[in-house]
């Protein structure tokens, strides 16, 4: 069959050309599409590769993270365990130390209590001894007064005896007054003893008198030598001379200064009691009778001086005791505070011993502290 | 083996040293117990016979003797000197001046000072300029005891030429010498030195004569621009001044430096009367806490000012800092 040379106005060659062009065009398009397709496939593959890579990275990261978490946990657990066991060991050791320290402290406290009790007992024994000896002295004084009262009767008797006149018996009153003399042990000799010729025919004395005894007249200063009806201690720690002397409490931590103050106080007719720190001072205040004067160093160890002075002024027993403070500080403030707290006088170190002695005399002469709080 | 031997040797040395020290302490204690009362009794009456002090007891005697010298004043010190000379302690002290041990030298210097041993003056003068401040101060102290008037010049030049002298030690020396000995010389020295040194010398003027210290303080308050010098002068006014200094002190209340204002308000508190309350109330509003505090304390310390009055004053204050500081001072006084 032959195509007509014209098909819809086109010639065959034109149609062929058109078809050819179309075929070429389609081919080109197909080529480009294939290329695009290939490109897309390559892109897809690339992305897939990337995806796979990322996925594997993610998985390995997850694995690492889980490993790290496990390690971290293990590590933390180990550290915690270590810390806990160390802390536990430390706590146990501290508790053991604490128990040991508490036991030691309790032991020391028990020792201190024992010592304090012993000290208290000793102080109360001393106080009793002082009381007993004071009683003895009082009774001696009483005897002395009675003896002095009978001096006149003895003198009268002497005159009567020497006049060799018969005389009547002593009246009961005179005999009673003579009784204390007769109670004195026969034969106790003093420079003032005197023999009275007693004759039973001339007088009778009521009960208890030996007619052959020598009656000893005791001058007042001989009282101490005479035995007394009061119980005498075997080893008195305070001599009779100190009982008659008032006490001065000296609180000074420096030994040399303390010895100096004690000597100065003794020379003024007082008996010093020396303490070296606040503990001893407080013990003295609790256990002894109020002294005539307190001399205290403002820098005494373990002692707040102003607090101490206030406490003394508030105490019913001690409030009238004069207080002198000794200060080594060149500061008027410490003196002012001490005086405001209730001290009566102050002296600065270095001090003149004569001035100190004069102040001691002045304070004890006045005899009273400030008005009690 | 070597280790064991050296440990044994060290142990033996330590034990031996301990034994020696313990024996020395026991001997010293025994010496103190014996001689303490002897020396004290000597204050009242020289004993007819005196046993000698053994050479090894010299140090113990000097320690005891110096301690008592430092405790006493007046005639008994001379009694102690008589005793020391009778026992030839002065000669022993002179020998100890040459000792290599610092503590022995210091003990010897102190002893010679108390003994007023003029023959040692030259040696002590040399010690004043030694490198050791401790030795220098001890030597100065000894010189001041031997001859106070002659020592003043040396003390003043020492204070001017050295920087690191301890104030409390020098104050002790000056206090012992007494104000009449050194006031004039020290007052003149204050005017010749630089302001940095003036302050320390002015601090020593606290122990001087009022008649010298007060005019000096007034003069420096007019002329000096150093705040430390002004503060030191105001402190002198606080110690020695009276109401005649009020004008100067009130002027200083407005000074720029808080240090000066603090001292000024303290000084005002010492010399103010009720008519000066207004000035103190002004200071209650100062920007520096210490100025406000000192002003409140000064008000509380004025005669005729009681607790109720301070409370009324507090309630009338508009400035909250003034209210606060007055409340603080009231609470310090208990309430």
């Amino acid at each position: 069959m032959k195509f007509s040379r014209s098909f819809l106005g086109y010639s065959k060659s034109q149609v062929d050309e058109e078809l050819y062009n179309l075929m070429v065009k389609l081919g080109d398009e197909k080529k480009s599409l294939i290329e695009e397709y290939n490109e897309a496939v390559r892109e897809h593959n690339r992305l897939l590769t990337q995806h796979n890579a990322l996925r594997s990275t993610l998985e390995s990261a997850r694995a690492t993270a889980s490993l790290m978490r496990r390690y971290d946990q293990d590590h933390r657990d180990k550290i915690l365990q270590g810390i806990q066991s160390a802390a536990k060991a430390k706590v146990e050791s501290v508790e053991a130390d604490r128990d040991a320290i508490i036991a030691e402290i309790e032991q020391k406290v028990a020792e201190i209590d024992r010592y304090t009790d012993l000290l208290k007992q000793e102080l109360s024994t001393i106080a009793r001894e002082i009381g007993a000896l004071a009683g003895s002295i009082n009774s001696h004084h009483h005897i002395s007064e009675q003896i002095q009262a009978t001096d006149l009767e003895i003198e009268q008797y002497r005159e009567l005896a020497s006049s060799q006149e018969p005389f009547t018996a002593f009246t009961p009153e005179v005999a009673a007054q003579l009784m204390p003399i007769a109670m004195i042990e026969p034969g106790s000799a003093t420079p003032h003893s005197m023999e009275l010729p007693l004759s039973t025919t001339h007088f009778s004395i009521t009960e208890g008198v030996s007619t052959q005894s020598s009656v000893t007249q005791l001058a007042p200063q001989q009282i101490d030598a005479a035995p007394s009806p009061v119980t005498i201690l075997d080893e008195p720690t305070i001599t009779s001379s100190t009982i008659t002397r008032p006490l001065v409490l000296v609180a000074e931590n420096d030994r040399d200064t303390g010895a100096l103050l004690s000597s100065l106080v003794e020379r003024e007719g007082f008996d010093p009691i020396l303490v070296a720190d606040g503990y001893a001072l407080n013990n003295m205040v609790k256990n002894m009778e109020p002294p005539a004067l307190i001399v205290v160093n403002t820098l005494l160890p373990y002692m707040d001086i102003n607090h101490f002075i206030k406490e003394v002024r508030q105490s019913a027993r001690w409030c009238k005791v004069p207080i002198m403070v000794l200060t080594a500080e060149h500061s008027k403030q410490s003196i002012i505070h001490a005086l405001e707290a209730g001290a009566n006088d102050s002296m600065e170190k270095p001090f003149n011993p004569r001035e100190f002695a004069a102040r001691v005399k002045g304070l004890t002469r006045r005899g009273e502290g400030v008005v009690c709080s | 083996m070597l280790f064991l031997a050296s440990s044994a040797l060290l142990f033996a040395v330590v034990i031996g040293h301990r034994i020696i020290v313990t024996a020395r302490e026991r001997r010293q204690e025994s010496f103190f117990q014996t001689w303490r009362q002897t020396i004290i009794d000597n204050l009242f009456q020289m004993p007819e016979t005196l046993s000698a002090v053994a050479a090894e007891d010299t140090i113990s005697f000097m320690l005891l003797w110096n301690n008592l010298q430092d405790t006493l004043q007046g005639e008994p010190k001379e009694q102690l000197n008589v005793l020391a000379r009778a026992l030839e302690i002065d000669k022993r002290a002179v020998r100890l001046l040459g000792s290599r041990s610092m503590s022995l030298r210091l003990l010897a210097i102190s002893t010679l000072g108390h003994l007023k041993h003029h023959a040692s003056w030259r040696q002590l003068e040399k010690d004043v300029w030694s490198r050791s401040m401790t030795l220098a101060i001890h030597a100065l102290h000894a010189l001041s005891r031997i001859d106070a008037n002659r020592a003043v010049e040396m003390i003043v030049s020492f204070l001017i030429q050295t920087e690191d002298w301890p104030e409390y030690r020098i104050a002790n020396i000056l206090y012992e010498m007494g104000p009449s000995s050194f006031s004039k010389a020290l007052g003149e020295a204050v005017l010749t030195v630089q302001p940095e040194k003036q302050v320390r010398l002015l601090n020593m003027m606290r122990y001087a004569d009022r008649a010298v210290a007060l005019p000096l303080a007034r003069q420096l308050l007019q002329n000096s621009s150093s705040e430390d010098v002004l503060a030191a002068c105001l402190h002198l006014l606080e110690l020695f001044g009276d109401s005649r200094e009020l004008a100067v002190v009130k002027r200083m209340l407005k000074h720029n430096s808080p240090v000066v204002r603090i001292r000024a308000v303290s000084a005002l508190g010492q010399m103010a009367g009720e008519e000066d309350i207004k000035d103190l109330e002004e200071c209650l509003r100062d920007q520096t806490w210490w100025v406000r505090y000192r002003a409140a304390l000064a008000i509380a310390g004025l005669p005729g000012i009681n607790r109720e009055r301070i409370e009324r004053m507090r309630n009338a204050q508009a400035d909250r800092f003034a209210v606060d500081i007055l409340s603080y001072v009231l609470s310090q006084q208990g309430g």
Side-chain angles (χ1 to χ4, degrees):
Chain A
M1 160 185 180
K2 278 192 184 164
F3 279 97
S4 74
R5 286 224 176 164
S6 74
F7 174 71
L8 300 172
Y10 294 100
S11 65
K12 181 175 181 270
S13 62
Q14 280 178 330
V15 169
D16 285 341
E17 199 178 327
E18 283 299 324
L19 276 173
Y20 176 75
N21 288 340
L22 196 61
M23 290 291 288
V24 164
K25 197 173 171 189
L26 282 171
D28 287 341
E29 279 181 18
K30 184 180 168 186
K31 217 193 273 182
S32 74
L33 279 172
I34 290 171
E35 275 176 18
E36 275 180 29
Y37 172 73
N38 288 339
E39 188 60 40
V41 166
R42 275 197 295 275
E43 187 65 24
H44 167 79
N45 288 339
R46 191 176 63 79
L47 286 173
L48 191 61
T49 313
Q50 261 186 14
H51 169 81
N52 289 336
L54 282 173
R55 195 183 166 129
S56 70
T57 307
L58 180 63
E59 279 173 8
S60 73
R62 277 188 185 147
T64 308
S66 128
L67 266 173
M68 279 184 67
R69 265 200 300 277
R70 260 206 314 274
Y71 171 74
D72 200 29
Q73 189 61 39
D74 288 345
H75 192 59
R76 252 191 267 160
D77 286 345
K78 273 190 192 137
I79 290 176
L80 202 57
Q81 241 175 10
I83 290 172
Q84 277 172 347
S85 55
K88 198 171 163 189
K90 185 79 185 162
V91 162
E92 279 165 10
S93 127
V94 163
E95 276 176 0
D97 285 345
R98 181 201 65 191
D99 291 339
I101 289 169
I102 287 173
E104 208 182 311
I105 289 171
E106 279 170 0
Q107 193 191 357
K108 292 240 175 321
V109 165
E111 273 175 32
I112 289 169
D113 285 340
R114 270 199 307 274
Y115 176 70
T116 309
D117 288 339
L118 280 169
L119 210 56
K120 275 186 189 163
Q121 280 171 18
E122 216 170 308
L123 283 168
S124 55
T125 308
I126 290 171
R128 274 201 304 275
E129 287 166 13
I130 292 171
L133 288 169
S136 159
I137 290 295
N138 279 342
S139 69
H140 281 164
H141 280 304
H142 180 63
I143 290 171
S144 158
E145 281 165 12
Q146 288 183 329
I147 288 170
Q148 282 171 8
T150 59
D151 279 355
L152 186 57
E153 278 81 13
I154 290 172
E155 201 49 50
Q156 286 171 349
Y157 177 76
R158 249 195 192 152
E159 282 171 13
L160 284 170
S162 62
S163 72
Q164 292 180 357
E165 282 175 13
F167 55 91
T168 54
F170 277 73
T171 62
E173 292 75 24
V174 172
Q177 282 173 358
L178 280 174
M179 279 289 280
I181 303 174
M183 279 166 70
I184 293 164
E185 190 179 349
S188 54
T190 73
H192 299 279
S193 63
M194 176 179 74
E195 292 276 344
L196 293 178
L198 301 179
S199 164
T200 52
T201 58
H202 288 279
F203 66 91
S204 67
I205 295 177
T206 52
E207 62 203 65
V209 178
S210 160
T211 57
Q212 297 303 316
S213 67
S214 64
V215 177
T216 305
Q217 177 185 358
L218 296 172
Q221 61 266 28
Q222 297 301 319
I223 296 297
D224 292 345
S228 99
V230 178
T231 309
I232 301 290
L233 299 167
D234 287 336
E235 289 182 36
T237 55
I238 299 172
T239 64
S240 58
S241 62
T242 58
I243 290 169
T244 58
R245 284 158 45 120
L247 297 173
V248 170
L249 183 54
V250 177
E252 171 59 60
N253 55 306
D254 180 66
R255 282 188 304 179
D256 301 333
T257 311
L260 175 63
L261 292 171
S262 300
S263 284
L264 293 171
V265 156
E266 219 168 341
R267 291 176 71 84
E268 295 309 313
F270 299 95
D271 278 326
I273 296 179
L274 180 62
V275 295
D277 60 47
Y279 292 131
L281 182 60
N282 274 327
N283 270 336
M284 279 292 157
V285 171
K286 280 181 200 150
N287 295 309
M288 70 179 270
E289 287 303 309
L293 172 67
I294 301 174
V295 178
V296 60
N297 181 357
T298 55
L299 296 176
L300 198 68
Y302 312 119
M303 168 62 65
D304 176 351
I305 187 64
N306 297 324
H307 180 72
F308 167 76
I309 295 171
K310 281 180 189 155
E311 289 219 330
V312 165
R313 288 291 170 246
Q314 283 166 3
S315 154
R317 286 192 315 139
W318 284 60
C319 62
K320 287 192 184 295
V321 176
I323 299 176
M324 184 199 300
V325 292
L326 281 180
T327 174
E329 309 157 89
H330 298 315
S331 153
K332 297 296 175 199
Q333 282 302 318
S334 61
I335 295 173
I336 290 170
H337 290 147
L339 293 171
E340 281 174 350
N344 299 83
D345 199 359
S346 70
M347 278 199 72
E348 273 189 39
K349 290 186 206 174
F351 60 90
N352 189 319
R354 282 182 64 186
E355 187 186 343
F356 174 77
R359 284 174 190 250
V360 164
K361 258 195 248 174
L363 283 171
T364 50
R365 195 187 306 133
R366 283 201 288 272
E368 287 188 350
V370 295
V371 173
C372 298
S373 312
Chain B
M1 201 57 207
L2 183 63
F3 172 73
L4 279 173
S6 54
S7 301
L9 180 63
L10 190 61
F11 186 69
V13 164
V14 167
I15 295 293
H17 178 71
R18 189 75 210 131
I19 291 170
I20 292 169
V21 165
T22 308
R24 199 184 301 155
E25 281 171 4
R26 261 198 226 124
R27 190 191 167 99
Q28 192 175 71
E29 191 53 45
S30 160
F31 180 88
F32 284 157
Q33 280 184 10
T34 314
W35 275 86
R36 187 178 286 127
Q37 200 53 49
T38 306
I39 297 177
I40 288 171
D41 290 340
N42 168 71
L43 294 176
F44 309 107
Q45 192 182 355
M46 188 73 173
E48 285 171 9
T49 55
L50 210 57
S51 49
V53 172
E56 51 270 25
D57 292 324
T58 303
I59 308 300
S60 305
F61 182 89
M62 281 186 185
L63 286 169
L64 188 55
W65 185 87
N66 273 284
N67 198 18
L68 285 170
Q69 279 279 10
D70 288 333
T71 309
L72 292 169
Q73 222 183 31
E75 204 189 291
K77 287 171 79 78
E78 194 45 46
Q79 278 292 111
L80 287 174
N81 288 349
V82 167
L83 174 69
R85 287 186 201 111
L87 294 168
E88 297 188 346
I89 298 298
D90 50 342
K91 292 181 185 149
R92 300 186 200 188
V94 169
R95 279 202 293 275
L96 277 178
L97 267 187
S99 167
R100 289 169 70 176
S101 159
M102 176 65 93
S103 54
L104 291 181
R105 283 176 75 181
L106 294 176
L107 186 60
I109 289 171
S110 180
T111 305
L112 291 169
H114 283 302
L115 282 168
K116 298 186 197 309
H117 198 259
H118 286 265
S120 315
W121 185 273
R122 277 196 191 283
Q123 178 58 43
L124 293 174
E125 242 182 337
K126 279 190 213 153
D127 286 335
V128 168
W129 301 107
S130 77
R131 280 189 297 178
S132 161
M133 182 52 65
T134 309
L135 196 62
I137 296 287
H138 267 77
L140 265 183
H141 207 164
L143 288 171
S144 72
R145 284 172 173 153
I146 293 172
D147 190 340
N149 295 327
R150 201 173 152 198
V152 161
E153 213 180 290
M154 169 148 303
I155 290 174
V156 170
S157 55
F158 177 82
L159 296 183
I160 293 173
Q161 292 179 43
T162 48
E163 303 278 342
D164 56 344
W165 43 271
E167 281 193 22
Y168 77 99
R169 293 298 304 272
I170 298 293
N172 215 18
I173 296 173
L174 296 178
Y175 187 87
E176 207 177 282
M177 286 168 72
S180 53
S181 321
F182 67 88
S183 300
K184 190 160 171 283
L186 190 60
E188 284 164 7
V190 169
L191 295 171
T192 60
V193 297
Q194 296 298 313
E196 309 80 51
K197 288 200 174 161
Q198 264 181 342
V199 176
R200 298 192 89 200
L201 297 185
L202 280 168
N203 286 343
M204 295 298 106
M205 290 299 290
R206 287 180 220 167
Y207 307 99
D209 254 329
R210 182 177 185 269
V212 175
L214 210 45
L216 179 67
R218 281 190 207 121
Q219 184 183 345
L220 287 170
L221 279 170
Q222 298 287 340
N223 303 331
S224 178
S225 55
S226 158
E227 62 184 47
D228 291 324
V229 169
L230 293 176
C233 292
L234 284 165
H235 194 208
L236 289 176
L237 288 193
E238 184 183 340
L239 290 171
F240 298 123
D242 53 31
S243 53
R244 284 172 290 184
E245 325 299 338
L246 273 173
V248 170
V249 169
K250 285 182 184 179
R251 216 174 50 239
M252 291 295 159
L253 288 176
K254 297 184 180 22
H255 198 277
N256 293 332
S257 161
V259 172
V260 173
R261 293 201 306 275
I262 290 168
R263 279 292 179 206
V265 81
S266 294
L268 185 61
Q270 285 299 314
M271 51 184 77
E274 221 178 292
E275 60 277 8
D276 304 306
I277 278 191
K278 288 274 170 252
D279 297 292
L280 288 169
E281 278 194 45
E282 279 282 327
C283 295
L284 291 175
R285 297 185 274 275
D286 193 281
Q287 57 185 338
T288 304
W289 187 89
W290 281 103
V291 176
R292 300 199 297 271
Y293 178 59
R294 293 281 172 203
L297 280 181
I299 290 172
L302 285 176
I305 299 287
N306 56 16
R307 194 180 173 78
E308 286 75 33
R309 183 119 179 239
I310 300 176
E311 282 171 357
R312 277 203 306 275
M313 199 183 297
R314 180 189 58 181
N315 297 336
Q317 294 293 326
D319 182 78
R320 65 190 174 103
F321 293 109
V323 169
D324 195 44
I325 202 67
L326 284 172
S327 302
Y328 180 69
V329 164
L330 279 171
S331 71
Q332 270 191 330
Q333 292 183 343

